[in-house]
Amino acid sequence: MTTRFVSGDLVRCDHGGKSRNGTYITERDGMAVVKLDSGYNIGVAPGSCRVTGHPEPALGKNVDVEQDHKLPNLSIVSTGGTIASRIDYRTGSVTSQFNANDILIAIPELADIANYRTIPLATILSENMTPAIWQDLARAVHDEIRDGARGIIVTHGTDTMAYSAAALSFMIDTPVPIVFVGSQRSADRPSSDNAMNAVCAAAAATSDLGEVAVVMHATTSDDTCSIHRGTRVRKMHTSRRDAFRSLGISPIGGIGYPLRKVTLGPHAVLRGTHSLALHDKIEPHCALVQFYPGMSPDLLKAYEGYKGLIIAGTGLGHVSTALIPALGRLITGGTLVVMTSQCMHGRVCDRVYDTGRDLLAAGVIEGGDMLPEAALVKLMWVLANENNREKAAALMQSDLKGECMRRSAYGL
Ligand code: ASP
Protein backbone atom coordinates (compact mmCIF):
# COMPACT_ATOMS: atom_id res chain seq x y z
CA MET A 1 0.00 0.00 0.00
CA THR A 2 1.40 3.44 -0.90
CA THR A 3 1.59 6.03 1.87
CA ARG A 4 -0.46 9.19 1.33
CA PHE A 5 1.42 12.25 2.48
CA VAL A 6 -0.09 15.52 3.62
CA SER A 7 1.77 18.80 3.21
CA GLY A 8 3.70 19.45 6.40
CA ASP A 9 4.08 15.77 7.40
CA LEU A 10 7.44 15.07 9.04
CA VAL A 11 9.09 12.34 6.98
CA ARG A 12 12.24 10.24 6.85
CA CYS A 13 13.44 9.48 3.32
CA ASP A 14 16.18 7.29 1.92
CA HIS A 15 18.09 9.32 -0.62
CA GLY A 16 21.60 9.04 -2.10
CA GLY A 17 22.53 6.17 0.22
CA LYS A 18 21.51 8.20 3.30
CA SER A 19 18.39 8.43 5.40
CA ARG A 20 17.33 12.03 6.11
CA ASN A 21 14.60 13.84 8.01
CA GLY A 22 12.51 16.52 6.39
CA THR A 23 9.07 17.95 5.81
CA TYR A 24 6.83 16.73 3.00
CA ILE A 25 5.86 19.62 0.74
CA THR A 26 4.05 18.23 -2.29
CA GLU A 27 4.20 15.71 -5.09
CA ARG A 28 5.52 16.90 -8.42
CA ASP A 29 5.99 14.76 -11.54
CA GLY A 30 5.57 11.61 -9.48
CA MET A 31 8.29 12.66 -7.00
CA ALA A 32 7.83 13.69 -3.39
CA VAL A 33 9.26 17.18 -2.79
CA VAL A 34 10.75 17.23 0.71
CA LYS A 35 12.34 20.13 2.57
CA LEU A 36 15.27 18.65 4.48
CA ASP A 37 16.05 19.87 7.97
CA SER A 38 19.12 21.53 6.42
CA GLY A 39 16.73 23.85 4.54
CA TYR A 40 17.28 22.36 1.08
CA ASN A 41 14.54 20.75 -1.02
CA ILE A 42 14.95 17.33 -2.64
CA GLY A 43 12.75 15.27 -4.94
CA VAL A 44 12.59 11.57 -4.01
CA ALA A 45 10.50 8.57 -4.95
CA PRO A 46 7.50 8.66 -2.59
CA GLY A 47 8.06 5.00 -1.75
CA SER A 48 11.43 5.82 -0.15
CA CYS A 49 9.80 8.05 2.51
CA ARG A 50 7.80 7.25 5.62
CA VAL A 51 5.84 9.55 7.92
CA THR A 52 7.46 10.16 11.31
CA GLY A 53 5.19 12.89 12.65
CA HIS A 54 2.52 15.39 11.82
CA PRO A 55 2.65 19.19 11.51
CA GLU A 56 1.95 21.38 14.49
CA PRO A 57 -1.54 22.87 14.22
CA ALA A 58 -1.46 26.22 12.40
CA LEU A 59 -1.12 29.24 14.64
CA GLY A 60 -4.48 30.79 15.30
CA LYS A 61 -4.99 34.31 14.04
CA ASN A 62 -5.60 36.98 16.66
CA VAL A 63 -4.78 34.69 19.57
CA ASP A 64 -3.67 37.09 22.22
CA VAL A 65 -0.57 36.29 24.18
CA GLU A 66 -0.86 36.68 27.90
CA GLN A 67 0.79 39.94 28.91
CA ASP A 68 2.28 41.03 32.20
CA HIS A 69 1.29 44.65 32.61
CA LYS A 70 4.07 45.31 35.13
CA LEU A 71 6.61 44.87 32.33
CA PRO A 72 7.55 47.76 29.99
CA ASN A 73 5.39 48.39 26.92
CA LEU A 74 7.02 47.63 23.60
CA SER A 75 5.50 47.77 20.14
CA ILE A 76 6.40 45.26 17.44
CA VAL A 77 5.93 46.61 13.94
CA SER A 78 6.21 43.76 11.47
CA THR A 79 7.19 44.21 7.84
CA GLY A 80 7.92 40.61 6.84
CA GLY A 81 11.15 38.84 5.92
CA THR A 82 12.43 35.47 7.05
CA ILE A 83 11.80 36.23 10.72
CA ALA A 84 8.09 36.30 9.92
CA SER A 85 8.08 33.40 7.48
CA ARG A 86 6.93 29.88 7.20
CA ILE A 87 7.27 27.34 4.45
CA ASP A 88 4.78 27.66 1.67
CA TYR A 89 3.95 23.99 1.20
CA ARG A 90 2.71 24.66 -2.32
CA THR A 91 6.12 25.80 -3.54
CA GLY A 92 8.57 24.72 -0.89
CA SER A 93 9.86 28.26 -0.65
CA VAL A 94 9.99 30.55 2.34
CA THR A 95 7.37 33.29 2.26
CA SER A 96 6.58 36.10 4.65
CA GLN A 97 3.27 35.11 6.05
CA PHE A 98 2.81 35.83 9.66
CA ASN A 99 2.35 38.93 11.65
CA ALA A 100 3.70 40.33 14.86
CA ASN A 101 1.13 38.55 17.02
CA ASP A 102 2.14 35.20 15.52
CA ILE A 103 5.76 36.01 16.35
CA LEU A 104 4.80 36.45 19.99
CA ILE A 105 3.02 33.12 20.00
CA ALA A 106 5.95 31.40 18.32
CA ILE A 107 8.56 32.87 20.72
CA PRO A 108 7.05 32.64 24.22
CA GLU A 109 10.31 33.87 25.85
CA LEU A 110 9.41 37.34 24.63
CA ALA A 111 6.57 37.48 27.14
CA ASP A 112 9.12 37.50 30.02
CA ILE A 113 10.68 40.74 28.79
CA ALA A 114 7.87 43.11 27.98
CA ASN A 115 4.25 43.72 27.26
CA TYR A 116 3.61 44.12 23.53
CA ARG A 117 1.37 45.85 21.07
CA THR A 118 1.61 44.40 17.59
CA ILE A 119 1.30 46.42 14.41
CA PRO A 120 1.31 44.39 11.18
CA LEU A 121 2.52 46.93 8.62
CA ALA A 122 3.48 44.61 5.75
CA THR A 123 4.31 41.01 4.94
CA ILE A 124 6.96 41.48 2.29
CA LEU A 125 10.41 40.16 1.59
CA SER A 126 12.65 43.16 2.07
CA GLU A 127 13.81 43.19 -1.56
CA ASN A 128 10.29 44.53 -2.16
CA MET A 129 10.72 47.41 0.30
CA THR A 130 10.16 50.92 -1.13
CA PRO A 131 10.69 54.50 0.08
CA ALA A 132 6.88 54.79 0.35
CA ILE A 133 6.83 51.88 2.83
CA TRP A 134 9.67 53.54 4.80
CA GLN A 135 7.32 56.49 5.19
CA ASP A 136 4.47 54.29 6.44
CA LEU A 137 6.92 52.58 8.78
CA ALA A 138 8.27 55.87 10.13
CA ARG A 139 4.74 57.14 10.76
CA ALA A 140 3.68 53.90 12.48
CA VAL A 141 6.79 53.89 14.69
CA HIS A 142 6.37 57.58 15.51
CA ASP A 143 2.74 57.06 16.54
CA GLU A 144 3.66 54.13 18.79
CA ILE A 145 6.32 56.18 20.58
CA ARG A 146 3.95 59.15 20.90
CA ASP A 147 1.38 56.80 22.42
CA GLY A 148 3.80 55.61 25.09
CA ALA A 149 5.89 52.70 23.79
CA ARG A 150 9.13 52.32 25.81
CA GLY A 151 10.79 50.89 22.74
CA ILE A 152 10.05 49.63 19.24
CA ILE A 153 10.96 46.38 17.52
CA VAL A 154 10.75 46.38 13.73
CA THR A 155 10.82 42.89 12.28
CA HIS A 156 12.30 43.07 8.79
CA GLY A 157 13.97 41.01 6.08
CA THR A 158 17.71 41.05 6.34
CA ASP A 159 18.51 41.88 2.70
CA THR A 160 17.61 45.58 2.86
CA MET A 161 17.38 46.03 6.61
CA ALA A 162 20.35 48.42 6.57
CA TYR A 163 18.55 50.74 4.14
CA SER A 164 15.39 50.81 6.25
CA ALA A 165 17.33 51.32 9.48
CA ALA A 166 19.15 54.25 7.86
CA ALA A 167 15.84 55.62 6.55
CA LEU A 168 14.27 55.60 10.01
CA SER A 169 17.43 57.11 11.50
CA PHE A 170 16.86 60.20 9.36
CA MET A 171 13.06 60.22 9.47
CA ILE A 172 12.63 60.04 13.26
CA ASP A 173 14.32 61.76 16.17
CA THR A 174 13.70 59.24 18.89
CA PRO A 175 13.93 59.30 22.68
CA VAL A 176 13.60 55.48 22.85
CA PRO A 177 15.25 52.50 21.13
CA ILE A 178 13.99 51.60 17.65
CA VAL A 179 15.41 48.14 17.05
CA PHE A 180 15.41 46.36 13.68
CA VAL A 181 15.66 42.59 13.80
CA GLY A 182 15.48 39.78 11.29
CA SER A 183 16.71 36.29 10.80
CA GLN A 184 18.94 34.61 8.30
CA ARG A 185 17.38 31.17 8.65
CA SER A 186 13.68 30.50 8.77
CA ALA A 187 11.91 29.08 11.82
CA ASP A 188 11.50 25.66 10.19
CA ARG A 189 15.29 25.11 10.25
CA PRO A 190 16.99 23.72 13.34
CA SER A 191 19.68 26.39 13.07
CA SER A 192 17.14 29.22 12.88
CA ASP A 193 18.30 32.43 14.50
CA ASN A 194 14.84 33.97 14.70
CA ALA A 195 14.02 33.29 18.37
CA MET A 196 17.37 34.39 19.79
CA ASN A 197 17.51 37.51 17.61
CA ALA A 198 13.95 38.46 18.61
CA VAL A 199 14.70 37.99 22.32
CA CYS A 200 17.89 40.08 22.01
CA ALA A 201 15.92 42.75 20.16
CA ALA A 202 13.35 42.90 22.95
CA ALA A 203 16.15 43.23 25.52
CA ALA A 204 17.72 46.06 23.48
CA ALA A 205 14.34 47.76 23.07
CA THR A 206 13.87 47.89 26.86
CA SER A 207 17.46 49.11 27.44
CA ASP A 208 18.87 52.62 27.88
CA LEU A 209 19.49 52.99 24.16
CA GLY A 210 18.02 56.05 22.44
CA GLU A 211 18.61 55.56 18.71
CA VAL A 212 17.81 53.41 15.68
CA ALA A 213 19.73 50.14 15.73
CA VAL A 214 19.98 46.72 14.14
CA VAL A 215 20.21 43.73 16.50
CA MET A 216 21.41 40.40 15.08
CA HIS A 217 23.59 37.39 16.00
CA ALA A 218 27.18 38.47 16.71
CA THR A 219 28.83 35.06 16.42
CA THR A 220 28.13 31.68 14.89
CA SER A 221 27.10 30.41 18.35
CA ASP A 222 23.92 31.20 20.22
CA ASP A 223 25.64 33.37 22.84
CA THR A 224 25.71 37.05 21.82
CA CYS A 225 23.90 39.56 19.66
CA SER A 226 25.42 42.83 18.52
CA ILE A 227 23.69 46.19 18.52
CA HIS A 228 24.66 48.13 15.39
CA ARG A 229 24.00 51.80 14.64
CA GLY A 230 21.30 52.05 11.96
CA THR A 231 23.45 54.15 9.63
CA ARG A 232 26.66 52.13 9.93
CA VAL A 233 25.66 48.54 9.39
CA ARG A 234 25.80 46.13 6.49
CA LYS A 235 24.80 42.56 5.77
CA MET A 236 28.18 41.00 4.97
CA HIS A 237 27.30 37.37 4.36
CA THR A 238 24.54 35.74 2.33
CA SER A 239 23.67 33.01 4.82
CA ARG A 240 25.70 33.07 8.04
CA ARG A 241 23.83 33.98 11.18
CA ASP A 242 26.52 36.49 12.14
CA ALA A 243 26.14 38.29 8.81
CA PHE A 244 25.74 41.83 10.14
CA ARG A 245 28.73 44.04 10.89
CA SER A 246 29.22 47.64 11.95
CA LEU A 247 31.47 49.48 9.50
CA GLY A 248 33.65 52.42 10.50
CA ILE A 249 32.70 52.04 14.18
CA SER A 250 32.47 49.19 16.62
CA PRO A 251 28.97 47.95 17.51
CA ILE A 252 27.19 50.35 19.87
CA GLY A 253 26.40 47.49 22.22
CA GLY A 254 25.83 43.82 22.75
CA ILE A 255 23.41 41.42 24.42
CA GLY A 256 24.49 38.24 26.18
CA TYR A 257 22.20 35.26 25.62
CA PRO A 258 20.37 33.60 27.32
CA LEU A 259 20.80 36.03 30.26
CA ARG A 260 19.71 38.98 28.09
CA LYS A 261 22.20 41.37 29.68
CA VAL A 262 22.54 44.49 27.54
CA THR A 263 25.87 46.35 27.48
CA LEU A 264 26.02 49.70 25.69
CA GLY A 265 29.25 51.21 24.39
CA PRO A 266 30.35 54.75 25.30
CA HIS A 267 29.35 55.97 21.84
CA ALA A 268 25.73 54.75 22.07
CA VAL A 269 23.08 57.50 22.11
CA LEU A 270 21.16 57.08 25.35
CA ARG A 271 17.43 56.96 26.03
CA GLY A 272 15.92 60.42 26.39
CA THR A 273 18.73 62.28 24.61
CA HIS A 274 16.41 63.39 21.78
CA SER A 275 12.77 64.47 21.78
CA LEU A 276 10.37 62.71 19.47
CA ALA A 277 10.00 64.26 16.01
CA LEU A 278 8.88 62.88 12.66
CA HIS A 279 10.43 64.12 9.39
CA ASP A 280 8.72 61.81 6.95
CA LYS A 281 9.35 63.55 3.63
CA ILE A 282 11.46 61.58 1.17
CA GLU A 283 12.52 62.23 -2.44
CA PRO A 284 12.47 58.89 -4.27
CA HIS A 285 14.07 60.20 -7.49
CA CYS A 286 17.56 59.40 -6.33
CA ALA A 287 19.81 56.51 -7.38
CA LEU A 288 22.93 54.60 -6.43
CA VAL A 289 25.34 53.37 -9.10
CA GLN A 290 28.44 51.31 -8.67
CA PHE A 291 31.30 52.25 -11.02
CA TYR A 292 33.27 49.46 -12.70
CA PRO A 293 36.15 49.51 -15.19
CA GLY A 294 34.87 50.15 -18.71
CA MET A 295 31.48 51.51 -17.56
CA SER A 296 29.86 53.38 -20.44
CA PRO A 297 29.05 57.07 -19.90
CA ASP A 298 25.81 56.36 -21.82
CA LEU A 299 24.49 54.51 -18.77
CA LEU A 300 24.38 57.79 -16.87
CA LYS A 301 21.81 59.14 -19.35
CA ALA A 302 19.27 56.99 -17.50
CA TYR A 303 19.66 59.34 -14.53
CA GLU A 304 18.94 62.59 -16.38
CA GLY A 305 16.24 64.42 -14.42
CA TYR A 306 17.07 62.60 -11.18
CA LYS A 307 17.32 64.82 -8.13
CA GLY A 308 20.31 63.02 -6.69
CA LEU A 309 22.85 60.34 -7.49
CA ILE A 310 25.23 58.46 -5.23
CA ILE A 311 28.27 56.94 -6.91
CA ALA A 312 30.02 54.04 -5.24
CA GLY A 313 33.42 54.78 -6.76
CA THR A 314 36.69 52.93 -6.49
CA GLY A 315 39.25 53.48 -3.73
CA LEU A 316 39.34 57.06 -2.49
CA GLY A 317 36.26 57.85 -4.61
CA HIS A 318 36.98 57.59 -8.32
CA VAL A 319 35.38 56.86 -11.67
CA SER A 320 37.12 56.73 -15.05
CA THR A 321 38.06 59.95 -16.82
CA ALA A 322 35.59 58.94 -19.58
CA LEU A 323 32.65 59.22 -17.18
CA ILE A 324 33.40 62.66 -15.77
CA PRO A 325 31.85 64.82 -18.57
CA ALA A 326 28.60 62.81 -18.31
CA LEU A 327 28.56 63.38 -14.54
CA GLY A 328 29.24 67.08 -15.17
CA ARG A 329 26.18 67.22 -17.47
CA LEU A 330 24.00 65.62 -14.80
CA ILE A 331 25.21 68.16 -12.25
CA THR A 332 24.56 71.09 -14.61
CA GLY A 333 21.10 69.64 -15.20
CA GLY A 334 20.39 69.89 -11.44
CA THR A 335 21.31 66.45 -10.08
CA LEU A 336 23.23 66.46 -6.80
CA VAL A 337 26.02 63.90 -7.25
CA VAL A 338 27.76 62.52 -4.17
CA MET A 339 30.82 60.25 -4.22
CA THR A 340 31.21 57.32 -1.83
CA SER A 341 33.56 54.36 -1.96
CA GLN A 342 33.17 50.68 -2.73
CA CYS A 343 35.81 50.05 -0.06
CA MET A 344 34.30 48.77 3.15
CA HIS A 345 36.43 51.07 5.30
CA GLY A 346 37.90 54.54 5.14
CA ARG A 347 36.74 57.83 3.65
CA VAL A 348 36.57 59.46 0.25
CA CYS A 349 39.27 61.95 -0.70
CA ASP A 350 39.12 63.34 -4.21
CA ARG A 351 42.08 65.65 -3.78
CA VAL A 352 44.80 63.04 -4.27
CA TYR A 353 44.53 61.80 -7.87
CA ASP A 354 43.74 63.64 -11.11
CA THR A 355 40.48 61.80 -11.57
CA GLY A 356 39.38 62.91 -8.13
CA ARG A 357 40.30 66.54 -8.75
CA ASP A 358 38.43 66.45 -12.06
CA LEU A 359 35.37 65.07 -10.27
CA LEU A 360 35.49 67.91 -7.77
CA ALA A 361 35.89 70.43 -10.59
CA ALA A 362 32.80 68.93 -12.26
CA GLY A 363 30.85 69.59 -9.03
CA VAL A 364 30.81 66.15 -7.40
CA ILE A 365 30.44 66.26 -3.60
CA GLU A 366 32.71 64.10 -1.43
CA GLY A 367 30.68 61.77 0.78
CA GLY A 368 33.19 61.37 3.64
CA ASP A 369 33.00 57.91 5.20
CA MET A 370 29.30 57.34 4.46
CA LEU A 371 28.31 53.86 3.37
CA PRO A 372 26.81 54.07 -0.14
CA GLU A 373 23.44 52.71 0.99
CA ALA A 374 23.19 55.10 3.96
CA ALA A 375 24.26 57.94 1.64
CA LEU A 376 21.46 57.07 -0.81
CA VAL A 377 18.80 57.13 1.88
CA LYS A 378 20.24 60.34 3.32
CA LEU A 379 20.23 61.99 -0.11
CA MET A 380 16.55 61.07 -0.54
CA TRP A 381 15.83 62.59 2.85
CA VAL A 382 17.97 65.71 2.42
CA LEU A 383 16.56 66.53 -1.02
CA ALA A 384 12.99 66.17 0.27
CA ASN A 385 13.71 68.60 3.09
CA GLU A 386 16.10 71.16 1.57
CA ASN A 387 15.56 72.87 -1.81
CA ASN A 388 18.69 74.98 -1.73
CA ARG A 389 21.47 73.10 -3.55
CA GLU A 390 24.37 74.51 -1.50
CA LYS A 391 22.57 73.80 1.77
CA ALA A 392 21.67 70.29 0.59
CA ALA A 393 25.33 69.66 -0.36
CA ALA A 394 26.45 70.94 3.07
CA LEU A 395 23.94 68.65 4.79
CA MET A 396 25.27 65.69 2.79
CA GLN A 397 28.70 66.44 4.26
CA SER A 398 27.42 66.92 7.82
CA ASP A 399 26.95 64.19 10.33
CA LEU A 400 23.23 63.93 11.09
CA LYS A 401 22.79 60.46 12.61
CA GLY A 402 26.30 59.02 12.92
CA GLU A 403 26.44 58.27 9.19
CA CYS A 404 29.23 60.71 8.30
CA MET A 405 31.83 60.78 11.01
CA ARG A 406 34.52 63.42 11.32
CA ARG A 407 37.10 60.91 12.45
CA SER A 408 37.49 57.27 11.63
CA ALA A 409 38.16 55.03 14.62
CA TYR A 410 41.64 53.51 14.54
CA GLY A 411 41.71 50.04 13.04
CA LEU A 412 38.16 50.23 11.60
N1 ASP B 1 15.12 37.95 1.21
C1 ASP B 1 14.77 37.99 2.59
C2 ASP B 1 14.41 39.41 2.95
O1 ASP B 1 15.25 40.25 3.01
C3 ASP B 1 15.86 37.50 3.44
C4 ASP B 1 15.62 37.65 4.92
O2 ASP B 1 14.57 37.96 5.41
O3 ASP B 1 16.55 37.46 5.67
O4 ASP B 1 13.27 39.67 3.20
Side-chain angles (χ1 to χ4, degrees), residues 38 40 82 157-159 161 182-186 189 191-194 196-197 214-225 228 234-245:
S38 62
Y40 293 99
T82 301
T158 55
D159 287 5
M161 189 188 286
S183 77
Q184 286 279 81
R185 300 191 190 159
S186 50
R189 298 179 64 175
S191 61
S192 177
D193 49 344
N194 77 335
M196 177 176 150
N197 287 349
V214 165
V215 167
M216 293 286 290
H217 257 66
T219 69
T220 49
S221 313
D222 286 341
D223 55 5
T224 330
C225 285
H228 305 280
R234 182 179 280 187
K235 178 173 174 172
M236 301 287 277
H237 198 281
T238 55
S239 56
R240 275 171 66 141
R241 299 186 302 174
D242 59 343
F244 280 76
R245 292 275 179 263

Side-chain angles (χ1 to χ4, degrees), residues 204-363:
T206 50
S207 76
D208 280 341
L209 193 67
E211 60 179 307
V212 179
V214 165
V215 167
M216 293 286 290
H217 257 66
T219 69
T220 49
S221 313
D222 286 341
D223 55 5
T224 330
C225 285
S226 287
I227 310 178
H228 305 280
R229 177 158 288 153
T231 53
R232 297 230 64 101
V233 61
R234 182 179 280 187
K235 178 173 174 172
M236 301 287 277
H237 198 281
T238 55
S239 56
R240 275 171 66 141
R241 299 186 302 174
D242 59 343
F244 280 76
R245 292 275 179 263
S246 287
L247 293 175
I249 55 166
S250 45
I252 53 177
I255 302 122
Y257 187 85
L259 292 181
R260 309 192 295 248
K261 186 175 164 21
V262 179
T263 311
L264 297 178
H267 52 316
V269 178
L270 295 183
R271 186 181 278 279
T273 305
H274 297 293
S275 308
L276 179 65
L278 175 69
H279 316 279
D280 60 356
K281 285 199 274 176
I282 200 106
E283 171 53 70
H285 292 105
C286 294
L288 165 60
V289 291
Q290 166 143 328
F291 168 74
Y292 53 89
M295 182 175 175
S296 165
D298 286 348
L299 291 177
L300 292 179
K301 288 197 184 128
Y303 300 105
E304 279 168 14
Y306 270 58
K307 296 275 188 290
L309 182 66
I310 300 291
I311 313 272
T314 55
L316 286 169
H318 304 129
V319 297
S320 63
T321 304
L323 232 59
I324 297 175
L327 283 177
R329 281 193 293 279
L330 282 179
I331 294 165
T332 317
T335 307
L336 193 67
V337 179
V338 179
M339 180 62 69
T340 60
S341 176
Q342 294 165 24
C343 296
M344 295 283 140
H345 299 278
R347 61 185 55 242
V348 162
C349 180
D350 279 313
R351 280 150 289 155
V352 179
Y353 295 96
D354 279 356
T355 40
R357 290 170 185 269
D358 293 345
L359 282 165
L360 293 180

Side-chain angles (χ1 to χ4, degrees), residues 152-170:
I152 306 288
I153 300 172
V154 179
T155 56
H156 198 289
T158 55
D159 287 5
T160 68
M161 189 188 286
Y163 289 83
S164 297
L168 258 68
S169 303
F170 298 114

